[in-house]
Amino acid sequence: MKLGALSEYFEGVTTKYLSAVEAQPECSNQHEFNGVKELKCLFGTERLTAKADFIYLGEDSDQTERFEGFLTWYDARERHPKRSEYRLYFPSNPVTDQASAGDLILFGKRTNGHILVLIAKAKSTSENQLLWLFGLTSPGPEVLFKEVEDTQIGFVEQAVLEHLDIEIVDTDDQYLDLLLEKFNGTFPTTRIFSAFSRETCGEVDSIALPDATLVEWLGHEERLFRCLERHIVSQRLREGFNDDVDQFISFSLSVHNRRKSRAGHSLENHLLQIFLDNNLIFDHGATTENRSKPDFLFPGQKPYHSGEFPDSHLTMLGVKTTCKDRWRQVLTEADKIPLKHLLTLEPGISEHQTNEMKSQQLQLVIPNTILDSFSTDQQKWLIDVDSFISVVRYKQSKSSYKL
């Protein structure tokens, strides 16, 4: 089961860094760019007025602003017999009002004819993720155009796209009958659903290839979940809400919250199985000081609280699908362990954030399938799941404490 290719959603993208004049046009309520050849590659040479979704992406997901508007691409000298002067125009709006010089702006031409205008805060995680998603290099002072390729959308790419309000539709329902038979048309617990997804995933090697296995299990579970969710939600929509707006809103929120909650539990469930497959000794959800509960504690709660077990052989791992500012929560979860570990699926975390993590003695663990979303300098510091397992296994082999 595949999620399709990026080219099914986008034809091409053009990107540049905003100048001071472009970001904050003086005495004007409009934004206008000269029609350089890269914009011509995206929009062509005919006059175009199209719906445009504007999104501002700050460093944190809470700093996202959205606006539905339009843009116009036209030749300001279309009546001149020999000269042309193409311009891209769109009025100021709550999204463009957030822009500053140095921010990345990306124009994406959707396959449905809509235009996506994305503005990402300079040197932010959002900027890194956009460049990584579309396979772009940093444009510097230039304007870059790229025709979107048939890059396969994976689990992590799907999460980035859905933050841009692009719903990835998987139309492969080959497992629907099995899901309905297994779970009787209801959602099971995340633990049971994760186990089912592993059973139906096909051949993987969680010992030799733990990074690839983790991402494959997560992607397969996501597709199974969406398949079952689409069936259950469609059935509920057919039943209707008797014009009860509050009931509809409540149902909509429950769908959204279930997605968010399940994703975090799914990641922990599959990591737990990978650690078991690799014969690591640990507790999941152990209690440390002040009733803190790190996601994984190696080799476990009993040795952690024992006065005989060396602190240097202890390891803790926090797990978060995305970091944002929540990574600091991990710092207080195990006082005996100076160097904390945190595994996340978030690509392209900004250097500002990773530098702060290093200063706080937090080691980030990233599946090697998304390491290329980070800079070369960052990659020298990051470790993948396989390396983390090796660290824990080495400590486990050195311990003489009877576990």
Side-chain angles (χ1 to χ4, degrees), residues 342-361:
L342 173 63
L343 184 145
T344 184
L345 302 175
E346 185 169 13
I349 298 171
S350 67
E351 292 197 19
H352 168 74
Q353 288 267 20
T354 56
N355 287 340
E356 190 175 355
M357 291 175 187
K358 284 191 284 186
S359 72
Q360 297 290 332
Q361 294 201 73

Side-chain angles (χ1 to χ4, degrees), residues 332-394:
T332 61
E333 291 181 346
D335 292 347
K336 285 188 173 184
I337 305 174
L339 178 65
K340 311 293 196 296
H341 287 78
L342 173 63
L343 184 145
T344 184
L345 302 175
E346 185 169 13
I349 298 171
S350 67
E351 292 197 19
H352 168 74
Q353 288 267 20
T354 56
N355 287 340
E356 190 175 355
M357 291 175 187
K358 284 191 284 186
S359 72
Q360 297 290 332
Q361 294 201 73
L362 179 71
Q363 174 64 62
L364 207 56
V365 183
I366 301 288
N368 58 26
T369 53
I370 60 171
L371 280 177
D372 62 349
S373 66
F374 294 84
S375 70
T376 302
D377 286 341
Q378 288 174 305
Q379 291 182 40
K380 295 175 183 176
W381 165 70
L382 294 168
I383 64 172
D384 59 15
V385 180
D386 187 48
S387 298
F388 174 77
I389 290 173
S390 296
V391 167
V392 176
R393 185 182 287 124
Y394 176 78

